Amino acid sequence: MKEATLKQAGKVLEVIGETPCEQLQKILSSGLLSDLLSANVDLVDRDVVRQALGLKPIGMHSYLMTIDYDRSVKDGIKAGNYDWRNDDITAKNFPSQETGTAEVSIDILHFGKDISTDEVRAELDKHGYRPATLKELLALGEKHSNLQREFPIIALGSVWQGPHGYRSCPYLYRDGSERCLGLGWVGSWWRGSCRFAAVRK
């Protein structure tokens, strides 16, 4: 086994130096640091550990919002003021049983790699999430209108099977400087740049 290098030791000291003294003392007293240094890190799922510690998964941002589920899809699209939208995104194609108004935290998760829909669903479920729905996506697009200029945001909680049998879900993205509301094929792989809107179960 190789000895730790001075560069590695310096990095550890850097992290320690950024930790408040009281927090550092609690960590040392708890024995968690000793556990971590003794662990087989190759077998550890970091996000599971973070969840156990009450921390958010890596690559996640949260947006607390008030969502009116009684608002129509048409009105939600209009309120989002999109430059372009897919005409198949309608209440008929995306019927909803959601009603009332609720405070909802929409979390945007990033997996940092090309990923299939089944893998995304499995990861969301593992961390206690469900995919966001169309109405939740529309509310996000309205309130945080520039977010989709940074990355595509997919809502796997609402799926429509078109006339040719393909299953699609709504997503927000940009085309140049334009904000768009489109449909993505659920059977495809999602690029590593994509983010996924999710809500705690």
Side-chain angles (χ1 to χ4, degrees):
M1 181 181 294
K2 294 182 179 180
E3 298 291 331
T5 66
L6 286 174
K7 185 176 181 180
Q8 289 171 326
K11 181 62 178 177
V12 171
L13 289 174
E14 181 183 331
V15 173
I16 290 174
E18 295 172 352
T19 305
C21 184
E22 184 178 346
Q23 175 72 355
L24 182 58
Q25 185 59 50
K26 288 181 179 179
I27 292 172
L28 292 172
S29 300
S30 69
L32 288 172
L33 183 58
S34 296
D35 293 340
L36 179 59
L37 294 175
S38 301
N40 183 346
V41 178
D42 293 333
L43 300 179
V44 174
D45 184 326
R46 185 181 180 189
D47 277 341
V48 172
V49 173
R50 289 180 62 85
Q51 185 178 21
L53 295 173
L55 301 173
K56 296 177 182 177
I58 296 297
M60 187 185 88
H61 300 280
S62 298
Y63 300 89
L64 183 62
M65 308 179 57
T66 300
I67 299 180
D68 180 4
Y69 290 106
D70 292 324
R71 185 170 68 172
S72 69
V73 170
K74 181 179 179 179
D75 287 346
I77 292 173
K78 183 177 180 180
N81 195 31
Y82 300 101
D83 297 296
W84 180 88
R85 62 104 170 176
N86 189 303
D87 290 336
D88 286 322
I89 301 178
T90 64
K92 178 181 178 181
N93 291 338
F94 290 94
S96 170
Q97 302 300 316
E98 301 161 309
T99 58
T101 300
E103 291 284 332
V104 176
S105 177
I106 298 180
D107 294 343
I108 308 298
L109 279 72
H110 181 215
F111 299 104
K113 62 179 181 179
D114 291 357
I115 190 169
S116 71
T117 296
D118 286 344
E119 289 176 321
V120 172
R121 291 186 183 278
E123 285 295 315
L124 295 183
D125 186 63
K126 181 172 72 174
H127 294 293
Y129 286 98
R130 63 165 177 80
T133 64
L134 171 59
K135 288 191 176 181
E136 289 162 346
L137 184 72
L138 291 176
L140 180 71
E142 175 189 357
K143 187 169 182 181
H144 300 280
S145 58
N146 285 318
L147 196 60
Q148 68 192 86
R149 298 187 194 277
E150 300 178 32
F151 38 70
I153 306 170
I154 291 84
L156 287 169
S158 295
V159 176
W160 169 62
Q161 184 167 324
H164 301 293
Y166 295 110
R167 300 172 70 241
S168 302
C169 68
Y171 77 111
L172 302 174
Y173 67 101
R174 72 177 177 87
D175 183 4
S177 61
E178 294 189 337
R179 294 172 55 250
C180 304
L181 172 63
L183 289 175
W185 182 35
V186 170
S188 68
W189 281 70
W190 304 99
R191 299 190 309 275
S193 61
C194 291
R195 268 64 166 178
F196 298 86
V199 176
R200 284 284 181 189
K201 293 180 181 179

